[in-house]
Amino acid sequence: MKILKYLFLLLLLTLVALTVFVATQKGIFSIERSKVINSPRATVYNYVNDFRNYEDFESWSLEDPSMRMTFPNKTIGNGASYSWEGVEGKGSAITLKTKDGESIQQKMKFDGTEADVNWTFKDTLTGKTVVTWKAKGTMSFLFKIYTALNGGSDNVIGTIYEKSLANIDKNLDYETKTFTVKVNGVVKKTETPYIKQTFTSEISKVNKNARVVIPKLIHFSQTNGLHNNGKPFIIYHTYDITTGLAKISICLPINKEISISAGSDILAGKLNSFEAVKTTLTGDYSHTNEAIVKTRAFINNEKIVPELGWSHLEILTVSKLDVKSPSKLVTEIYFPTKPKVVPVPVEAPVYRPQTQTQTPAQQKPAATTTTPPPAKEEEQSEF
C-alpha cells in the first residue's frame, strides 16, 4: 500500500510541477508559414477569401469527420464569418479587412485561444502565387498544456498551417485545370426583359462585381413583386483588352417589362432577340479568354459576320452563388452575329414561240391574183 501511496504522490507532484511549468510559460504565440501555390494570384485569393472553402482545405476539419461547420449568408470579404464545432472544441473566425488580391486580415477564437490572422498573396515570375499565413495571439491554459506536450505552439499550429497550405495547392490545381470549352454554334436568343446596373469595370473584377450586384438585383425584384425569369447575365457593351476595362450591365431577367422612376441606381431594359454564336465554358472564370478566342476563331472560320454594335453576353448558368467549386461553374457566352442573307430562288422564265391564230372574221379573202413562185430559202447562219 505504501508503494501505491508513493506512486500517487509522485503523480500528484508531477501534475503540480507540470501545471506550474505551464502557468509560467508565455501564453503568446506567433506562427508563420509560406508556400508557393501553382495557381494565379487572383484565383488563390478568391479561394481563401471564401470561408465556404475552408472545410475543404483546413487540416483540422479534414482530420475530424465529426466536425460541423456553420456558414451565414456572408462568407466572402469584409464581415464574412463562420464557426465550427468538433471533437477538440469549437471556434469561430471573422474577416476584418481585405485588400483585393493582396491580403486578408481575420480574427479567430478557439476555446479561449484568440489570434490575429493575416494572409498575403504575391505573384511569382512564373505566374504562381506565394501565400504567407501568419497568426499571432494568446493561448488558453488548456491549449498551453496541449502544445507543451506536443512540441510547442510553433510545431502544433505550424504543422496545421503546412498541411492546410498543401491542401490549397492540391485543390486549386485540380479545380483550375479541370475545365471544358465547347463552341455550340449559331443559335437565336429570345427577347428578355431585365433589371440592371451599368458601369465600367476592370475585366478581371467583373465576376467579383457580379457577386455584389446580383443579390441587390434579387432583393429589388423581391421587394417590388417581380419574378426572376432565368439566370443572371452580363452584357459587355465594350471589351478592351488593351486597357483591361469593359463597360458592362449586370442583369437579372424578369417576367415582364417595367418602368423605374428616375434617380434609381437600378434600371430596366429589354434584350431584343438576336442571333449569336454560343460557347459553353464549364470551369473556372480564368479560362474565359480561351473560350472567347475559340468563339472568335469559329466565327472567322465559318465566315460569319459579327454584329459590332456591342461585344458579347455571358449567362451565369451556374455561378459562385450556386457552387463553391470553380470546376463546376458553367458560363454560356453569346457573341452577336448578323443573320445570313439567304437568296430567294427566282424561277427562270421560259420563252416559247407564239403562234397567231386568226378568227374567221379576221381571215382575209383569197387573193384573185396569180400565186407567185415560192421564195428562195434563206441560208442558215452558223452563228
Side-chain angles (χ1 to χ4, degrees):
M1 294 296 294
K2 288 184 177 180
I3 294 176
L4 292 176
K5 287 182 179 180
Y6 288 142
L7 290 174
F8 176 76
L9 288 173
L10 181 62
L11 178 62
L12 183 62
L13 289 172
T14 302
L15 289 174
V16 170
L18 178 63
T19 301
V20 172
F21 171 76
V22 172
T24 57
Q25 298 301 303
K26 292 182 178 180
I28 299 174
F29 65 91
S30 180
I31 313 296
E32 178 178 332
R33 293 293 188 274
S34 295
K35 182 174 177 57
V36 176
I37 306 296
N38 296 306
S39 297
R41 180 164 57 94
T43 300
V44 181
Y45 171 85
N46 291 332
Y47 186 72
V48 175
N49 194 32
D50 188 347
F51 278 133
R52 291 183 301 172
N53 294 316
Y54 282 48
E55 63 183 342
D56 295 330
F57 74 77
E58 283 185 330
S59 65
W60 62 83
S61 67
L62 295 175
E63 295 170 3
D64 181 1
S66 68
M67 182 172 288
R68 292 183 295 105
M69 290 191 171
T70 303
F71 301 98
N73 291 332
K74 186 174 179 60
T75 61
I76 301 173
N78 296 344
S81 63
Y82 84 112
S83 59
W84 68 90
E85 185 173 355
V87 173
E88 296 183 359
K90 57 183 179 179
S92 63
I94 184 171
T95 298
L96 304 176
K97 184 180 179 182
T98 61
K99 189 173 182 181
D100 190 38
E102 296 183 16
S103 63
I104 301 171
Q105 295 179 19
Q106 300 167 335
K107 185 79 172 180
M108 188 204 74
K109 297 181 180 180
F110 177 70
D111 282 352
T113 296
E114 295 188 7
D116 295 317
V117 179
N118 188 62
W119 298 80
T120 57
F121 309 85
K122 294 184 178 180
D123 291 317
T124 69
L125 296 176
T126 56
K128 301 177 182 180
T129 308
V130 177
V131 178
T132 301
W133 191 359
K134 298 180 183 179
K136 186 176 182 180
T138 55
M139 293 182 285
S140 65
F141 181 75
L142 289 177
F143 194 63
K144 282 200 293 182
I145 294 177
Y146 179 81
T147 56
L149 296 174
N150 289 276
S153 59
D154 186 79
N155 179 62
V156 172
I157 301 175
T159 300
I160 291 173
Y161 281 15
E162 289 168 5
K163 290 181 179 179
S164 299
L165 288 169
N167 290 335
I168 292 174
D169 191 25
K170 180 179 69 175
N171 292 352
L172 282 180
D173 190 57
Y174 171 82
E175 291 293 342
T176 56
K177 290 182 179 179
T178 304
F179 75 100
T180 59
V181 175
K182 180 181 179 181
V183 179
N184 305 97
V186 178
V187 299
K188 187 165 186 177
K189 286 291 294 171
T190 57
E191 65 178 26
T192 306
Y194 58 81
I195 53 177
K196 66 176 180 177
Q197 278 195 336
T198 301
F199 51 91
T200 298
S201 168
E202 293 181 36
I203 293 174
S204 61
K205 296 181 180 179
V206 167
N207 288 289
K208 175 189 173 184
N209 290 329
R211 290 199 299 271
V212 175
V213 172
I214 291 172
K216 292 181 181 179
L217 297 176
I218 293 174
H219 177 73
F220 181 91
S221 174
Q222 294 171 343
T223 303
N224 290 277
L226 303 172
H227 298 286
N228 301 346
N229 193 30
K231 291 293 185 177
F233 59 91
I234 303 171
I235 300 174
Y236 287 81
H237 305 284
T238 61
Y239 190 89
D240 191 338
I241 59 175
T242 303
T243 62
L245 298 175
K247 182 180 179 182
I248 61 172
S249 290
I250 298 175
C251 309
L252 181 70
I254 54 178
N255 59 318
K256 60 183 178 180
E257 292 186 58
I258 62 170
S259 297
I260 298 178
S261 58
S264 173
D265 61 341
I266 294 178
L267 303 175
K270 185 178 77 170
L271 186 68
N272 294 323
S273 61
F274 64 96
E275 285 191 7
V277 172
K278 174 186 174 183
T279 295
T280 302
L281 166 63
T282 303
D284 188 62
Y285 297 131
S286 61
H287 303 292
T288 301
N289 284 340
E290 182 173 343
I292 290 175
V293 169
K294 286 189 175 182
T295 307
R296 287 174 172 164
F298 177 86
I299 290 173
N300 292 333
N301 292 338
E302 297 297 320
K303 295 181 172 53
I304 298 171
V305 181
E307 173 57 65
L308 301 178
W310 52 291
S311 180
H312 63 282
L313 176 147
E314 294 177 1
I315 299 180
L316 307 179
T317 308
V318 179
S319 72
K320 283 285 190 178
L321 299 174
D322 304 311
V323 297
K324 64 181 181 180
S325 301
S327 63
K328 296 179 181 178
L329 298 171
V330 180
T331 308
E332 296 179 2
I333 305 173
Y334 296 83
F335 270 79
T337 62
K338 291 184 178 180
K340 284 186 177 181
V341 178
V342 180
V344 178
V346 178
E347 185 178 352
V350 178
Y351 296 99
R352 295 182 178 88
Q354 295 183 352
T355 57
Q356 293 183 349
T357 305
Q358 294 180 333
T359 62
Q362 294 172 326
Q363 292 178 355
K364 295 181 180 179
T368 55
T369 57
T370 305
T371 302
K376 188 178 179 180
E377 293 185 2
E378 296 180 0
E379 295 181 1
Q380 295 183 349
S381 171
E382 296 180 356
F383 303 99

